[in-house]
């Protein structure tokens, strides 16, 4: 069987959205009933996107319902952030120029989006204190998944490197590499808390492994020079943890644009292949990166593929309202099965559907149809390969 999954973020319920907009920390405190209802709804919709007994995903998430974004909740789980002072996000010149040309409406929306336009300032060395919150989130995710009949459930947490993209270190750290290493040691505590829950899987969101190229954060070193250190930081953070329950997601940024300034994947893949985890969740469905299959194929022909490492092939694009047909999904899976083997692939999405509160690319009704397309197309490919 080819597993069916996605990247993690789902549409927040109106009740949760209202609570998050009032939250000063990026995470909902208390209001357990509203959060549980939202997380249960997210899981049900992933399992049965067209309602009733319709088929959807086999590997679900809690939809990140209690968080305003995959990084914006961190001030609630770390000491060292200012409780009063916020700093605007860096200018990100590469992204700004691209959006001016390709999607000025999105540029205007991002500039006015309060959730990510400015975030709490790092005023002291960051110390993780959120283990109880992470453990509670994982416990509830597992319980709800079991009650709803989901075979697997994962909880997301950011990579050390992507934290450096959203939260500049200020004067608390000597340089980028010191900041990265310190974050690796601290965010490991979140990974440990999630994995301490029996039945919970961990997805590490690591857009820094690709997206940081076009965002051009002020790291003091070139993206390609920094990339090996970012992979090392993840590997250090997961050392000794159960790798069979850990997966990593890389992407080029969940925004609709030309993406002409994206990283050269031929230089990225050798580093991603060094990750000491059980699965990579990639971005391979959209028009800019569907051709990355050739890069994967060339790499496997020359170097082989790491034993025990699965690739979640993204078969639907979350940034376009086109709903992929079952045949399109099957074709995209088939290309990778040809050189990786069906046992080493899963079906997934390019990215999440509501990465940050209030920012999504397609209406929920379209997203539900896309999840159903993943199920239908995967079943088609299984029949073609003689697996069903």
């Amino acid at each position: 069987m080819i597993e069916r999954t996605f990247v993690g973020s789902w549409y927040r319920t109106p009740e949760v959205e209202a609570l998050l907009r009032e939250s000063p920390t990026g995470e909902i405190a208390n209001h357990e009933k509203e959060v549980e209802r939202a997380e249960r709804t997210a899981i049900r919709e992933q399992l049965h996107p067209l309602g009733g007994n319709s088929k959807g995903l086999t590997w679900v998430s809690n939809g990140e319902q209690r968080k305003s974004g995959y990084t914006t909740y961190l001030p609630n789980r770390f000491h060292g952030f200012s409780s009063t002072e916020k700093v605007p996000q860096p200018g990100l010149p590469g992204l700004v120029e691209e959006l001016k040309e390709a999607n000025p409406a999105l540029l205007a929306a991002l500039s006015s989006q309060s959730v990510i336009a400015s975030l709490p300032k790092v005023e002291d060395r960051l110390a993780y204190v959120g283990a109880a919150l992470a453990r509670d989130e994982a416990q509830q995710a597992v319980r709800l998944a079991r009650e709803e009949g989901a075979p697997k459930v994962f909880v997301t947490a950011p990579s050390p490197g992507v934290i450096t993209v959203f939260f500049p270190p200020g004067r608390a750290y000597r340089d980028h590499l010191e900041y990265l290493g310190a974050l690796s040691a601290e965010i490991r505590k979140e990974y440990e808390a999630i994995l301490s829950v029996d039945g919970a899987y961990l997805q590490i969101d690591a857009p820094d492994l690709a997206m940081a190229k076009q965002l051009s954060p002020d790291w003091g070193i070139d993206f390609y020079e920094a990339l090996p250190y970012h992979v090392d930081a993840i590997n250090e953070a997961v050392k000794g943890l159960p790798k069979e329950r850990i997966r990593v997601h890389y992407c080029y940024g969940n925004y609709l644009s030309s993406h002409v300034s994206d990283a050269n994947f031929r230089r990225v893949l050798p580093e991603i292949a060094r990750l000491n985890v059980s699965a990579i969740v990639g971005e391979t469905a959209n028009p800019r990166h569907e051709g990355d299959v050739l890069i994967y194929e060339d790499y496997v022909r020359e170097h082989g593929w790491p034993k025990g490492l699965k690739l979640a092939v993204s078969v639907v694009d979350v940034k376009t309202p086109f709903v992929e047909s079952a045949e399109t999904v099957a074709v995209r899976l088939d290309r990778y099965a040809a050189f990786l083997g069906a046992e080493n692939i899963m079906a997934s999405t390019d990215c999440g559907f509501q990465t940050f509160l209030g920012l999504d690319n397609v209406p929920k009704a379209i997203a539900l149809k896309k999840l159903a397309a993943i199920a239908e197309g995967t079943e088609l490919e299984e029949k073609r390969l003689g697996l069903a």
Side-chain angles (χ1 to χ4, degrees):
M1 178 183 178
I2 298 174
E3 292 182 284
R4 309 185 295 265
T5 187
F6 83 134
V7 170
S9 63
W10 190 244
Y11 300 84
R12 293 157 178 87
T13 64
E15 294 80 11
V16 155
E17 184 172 332
L19 291 170
L20 283 170
R21 292 195 183 281
E22 296 173 359
S23 170
T25 64
E27 185 170 14
I28 296 174
N30 304 316
H31 301 285
E32 292 88 353
K33 291 182 179 179
E34 290 87 346
V35 170
E36 178 174 337
R37 279 197 297 268
E39 292 178 340
R40 188 183 297 277
T41 296
I43 289 171
R44 282 180 176 172
E45 289 175 339
Q46 292 162 48
L47 290 171
H48 309 291
L50 301 184
N53 293 319
S54 63
K55 293 183 179 179
L57 306 182
T58 58
W59 196 344
V60 303
S61 86
N62 64 358
E64 300 176 10
Q65 294 293 303
R66 63 185 66 196
K67 304 168 182 174
S68 61
Y70 73 100
T71 54
T72 51
Y73 74 99
L74 291 173
N76 196 47
R77 298 193 184 182
F78 278 87
H79 285 164
F81 286 103
S82 173
S83 60
T84 57
E85 190 173 358
K86 293 189 174 184
V87 292
Q89 288 292 287
L92 311 178
L95 174 60
V96 169
E97 289 306 310
E98 186 176 296
L99 289 177
K100 280 181 180 178
E101 177 185 59
N103 196 340
L106 178 58
L107 178 60
L110 288 172
S111 300
S112 63
Q113 174 55 253
S114 61
V115 171
I116 58 173
S118 62
L119 291 169
K121 179 181 180 180
V122 175
E123 62 181 7
D124 200 354
R125 295 181 71 89
L126 297 181
Y128 186 76
V129 293
L133 292 171
R135 194 176 304 111
D136 175 73
E137 181 181 9
Q139 287 172 339
Q140 179 149 296
V142 169
R143 176 176 62 81
L144 293 175
R146 287 174 176 165
E147 290 174 1
E148 297 300 325
K152 289 183 178 179
V153 63
F154 65 91
V155 176
T156 64
S159 67
V162 80
I163 301 173
T164 73
V165 173
F166 286 89
F167 298 97
R171 298 180 181 179
Y173 299 90
R174 183 175 62 251
D175 56 27
H176 177 66
L177 295 185
E178 183 191 29
Y179 188 31
L180 183 67
L183 286 171
S184 176
E186 291 301 316
I187 197 64
R188 172 187 171 88
K189 299 170 186 176
E190 175 137 307
Y191 303 166
E192 289 174 327
I194 292 169
L195 293 169
S196 71
V197 178
D198 184 42
Y201 289 78
L202 166 67
Q203 177 178 289
I204 299 174
D205 288 328
D208 53 301
L209 303 184
M211 178 183 72
K213 158 65 169 55
Q214 66 266 30
L215 295 190
S216 305
D218 185 16
W219 286 344
I221 54 176
D222 175 73
F223 166 77
Y224 294 109
E225 182 184 351
L227 182 58
Y229 294 105
H230 283 236
V231 171
D232 290 344
I234 294 174
N235 283 341
E236 187 64 28
V238 301
K239 184 182 293 185
L241 300 179
K243 65 177 289 185
E244 69 277 6
R245 293 167 56 200
I246 305 172
R247 54 193 243 182
V248 171
H249 166 61
Y250 77 86
C251 73
Y252 303 87
N254 192 6
Y255 58 89
L256 187 61
S257 186
S258 63
H259 282 269
V260 294
S261 58
D262 286 2
N264 179 351
F265 192 61
R266 288 191 184 276
R267 299 181 66 178
V268 171
L269 179 55
E271 294 301 327
I272 287 177
R274 291 197 302 109
L275 287 164
N276 190 25
V277 295
S278 64
I280 303 297
V281 185
E283 180 175 354
T284 60
N286 62 62
R288 183 69 183 179
H289 292 287
E290 190 168 5
D292 285 0
V293 63
L294 299 180
I295 299 174
Y296 273 105
E297 188 173 15
D298 290 346
Y299 180 86
V300 170
R301 185 184 302 113
E302 184 174 352
H303 303 284
W305 186 246
K307 185 177 180 180
L309 182 66
K310 286 193 173 188
L311 178 65
V313 179
S314 53
V315 293
V316 300
D317 181 0
V318 301
K319 297 179 288 297
T320 170
F322 278 90
V323 176
E324 291 80 357
S325 68
E327 290 77 11
T328 296
V329 169
V331 164
R332 288 171 173 170
L333 288 171
D334 198 62
R335 291 171 182 166
Y336 285 87
F339 60 88
L340 284 178
E343 70 277 9
N344 288 321
I345 64 170
M346 297 183 282
S348 185
T349 60
D350 263 348
C351 200
F353 282 99
Q354 196 179 79
T355 310
F356 296 103
L357 175 67
L359 287 178
D360 44 74
N361 294 294
V362 299
K364 183 177 179 180
I366 296 298
L368 290 165
K369 290 181 173 66
K370 284 177 176 283
L371 294 189
I374 292 177
E376 186 180 357
T378 302
E379 287 192 340
L380 176 59
E381 177 63 3
E382 287 173 339
K383 291 177 182 176
R384 289 171 52 83
L385 294 175
L387 301 177

